[in-house]
């Protein structure tokens, strides 16, 4: 196998007690990397595959046991470390931090100032942006989108075309799916499910085994718990 990059031994930075080296392309590959191009910083060859089109751009940093492979791109001032895997055609950019055992794969995007950690997974065409956090065993997949300062954690799952924003917290075993939108200062937790075309936009709390399938009025509906099921 012909190597696609090398470490520039005299161009390095010290970061969190580790020496990270600038990378340099040895051959042209993909439509954006040409022979001689300088990339971001990695700790060693174990961090970035010599195969595929994957690359570390700008001042991005990859270290620890983190692995970038396939056609994944790491850019901006992002940091990828721990045992993280970024693969497929995933993109990590901005000033994001991806750590722990997190997996970013397929066409997923993590951007802005977002943090993904623990055993969290962001996959398929999902996106995690702005200053939100995804951690624990949380899953964000399909076309789900997380923005603002939302937090997704525990064993929570966002899937389909779910949208979560604002200061929302989704945790426990909660599921947001279908075309549901949750934002504002809402909290969805325990075994609660928000689905169909539901919209929660205020300070409502949805918990226990509750299911919400429609718009929630803060004055009329309030908090939803127990085995409640709100349908059209």
């Amino acid at each position: 196998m012909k190597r696609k990059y090398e470490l520039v031994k005299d161009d390095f930075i010290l970061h969190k007690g580790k020496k990270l080296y600038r990378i340099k392309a040895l051959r042209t590959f993909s439509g954006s990397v040409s022979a001689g191009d300088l990339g971001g910083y990695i700790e060693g060859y174990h961090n970035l595959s010599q195969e595929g089109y994957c690359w570390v751009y700008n001042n991005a940093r990859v270290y620890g046991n983190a692995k970038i492979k396939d056609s994944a791109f790491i850019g901006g001032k992002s940091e990828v470390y721990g045992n993280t895997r970024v693969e497929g055609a995933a993109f990590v950019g901005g000033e994001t931090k991806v750590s722990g055992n997190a997996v970013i794969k397929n066409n997923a995007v993590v951007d802005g100032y977002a943090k993904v950690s623990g055993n969290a997974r962001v996959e398929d065409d999902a996106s995690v942006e702005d200053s939100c956090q995804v951690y624990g065993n949380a899953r964000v997949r399909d076309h789900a989108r997380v923005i603002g300062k939302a937090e997704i954690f525990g064993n929570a799952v966002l899937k389909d075309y779910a949208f979560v924003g604002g200061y929302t917290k989704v945790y426990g075993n909660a599921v947001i799916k279908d075309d549901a939108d949750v934002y504002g200062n809402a909290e969805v937790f325990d075994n609660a499910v928000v689905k169909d075309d539901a919209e929660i936009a205020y300070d409502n709390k949805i918990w226990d085994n509750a299911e919400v399938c429609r718009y929630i009025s803060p004055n009329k509906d309030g908090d939803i718990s127990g085995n409640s099921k709100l349908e059209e």
Side-chain angles (χ1 to χ4, degrees):
M1 178 185 66
K2 185 178 180 181
R3 292 192 304 160
K4 70 181 183 184
Y5 74 92
E6 67 180 359
L7 304 182
V8 182
K9 291 295 187 177
D10 60 354
D11 185 352
F12 64 87
I13 58 174
L14 295 176
H15 181 67
K16 295 183 178 179
K18 297 180 181 294
K19 184 179 282 189
L20 309 184
Y21 299 93
R22 179 81 74 178
I23 57 174
K24 180 180 179 180
L26 296 175
R27 56 184 172 85
T28 298
F29 60 95
S30 81
S32 58
V33 180
S34 299
D37 284 356
L38 295 176
Y41 294 91
I42 65 176
E43 185 177 356
Y45 287 110
H46 63 284
N47 296 127
L48 178 66
S49 176
Q50 293 281 4
E51 301 179 352
Y53 298 119
C54 55
W55 191 244
V56 179
Y57 290 88
N58 310 121
N59 290 305
R61 301 169 182 186
V62 182
Y63 53 97
N65 293 315
K67 180 74 172 181
I68 315 302
K69 58 186 290 189
D70 302 328
S71 297
F73 287 162
I74 312 298
K77 296 180 179 179
S78 58
E79 291 186 35
V80 180
Y81 54 101
N83 296 308
T84 296
R85 295 198 334 265
V86 184
E87 56 193 48
F91 172 78
V92 175
E95 295 188 27
T96 58
K97 288 182 169 58
V98 183
S99 62
N101 297 304
V103 175
I104 316 297
K105 61 186 292 189
N106 305 123
N107 296 304
V109 172
V110 179
D111 207 352
Y113 296 88
K115 294 180 180 180
V116 181
S117 60
N119 295 309
R121 298 174 70 99
V122 183
E123 51 198 348
D124 302 322
D125 294 296
S127 62
V128 175
E129 307 166 53
D130 298 334
S131 297
C132 57
Q133 298 183 55
V134 181
Y135 54 99
N137 295 307
R139 300 287 185 269
V140 182
R141 60 186 180 89
D142 300 326
H143 298 273
R145 187 181 180 202
V146 186
I147 67 169
K149 294 187 176 182
E151 292 185 41
I152 315 299
F153 56 102
N155 295 306
V157 175
L158 271 62
K159 60 183 182 177
D160 302 322
Y161 287 88
F163 170 85
V164 173
Y167 292 86
T168 295
K169 292 184 178 181
V170 183
Y171 54 100
N173 295 305
V175 176
I176 314 295
K177 63 180 183 176
D178 300 326
D179 290 301
D181 293 344
V182 184
Y183 48 101
N185 291 295
E187 288 189 36
V188 183
F189 54 102
D190 289 341
N191 296 305
V193 177
V194 180
K195 61 182 184 177
D196 296 339
D197 295 313
E199 182 179 357
I200 301 172
Y202 297 93
D203 299 333
N204 304 83
K205 290 181 173 58
I206 316 298
W207 77 96
D208 286 339
N209 296 304
E211 286 190 21
V212 176
C213 310
R214 63 165 172 80
Y215 172 77
I216 296 296
S217 166
N219 298 320
K220 178 182 177 182
D221 297 309
D223 296 337
I224 314 298
S225 61
N227 294 307
S228 302
K229 187 171 183 178
L230 273 66
E231 301 177 304
E232 293 292 347

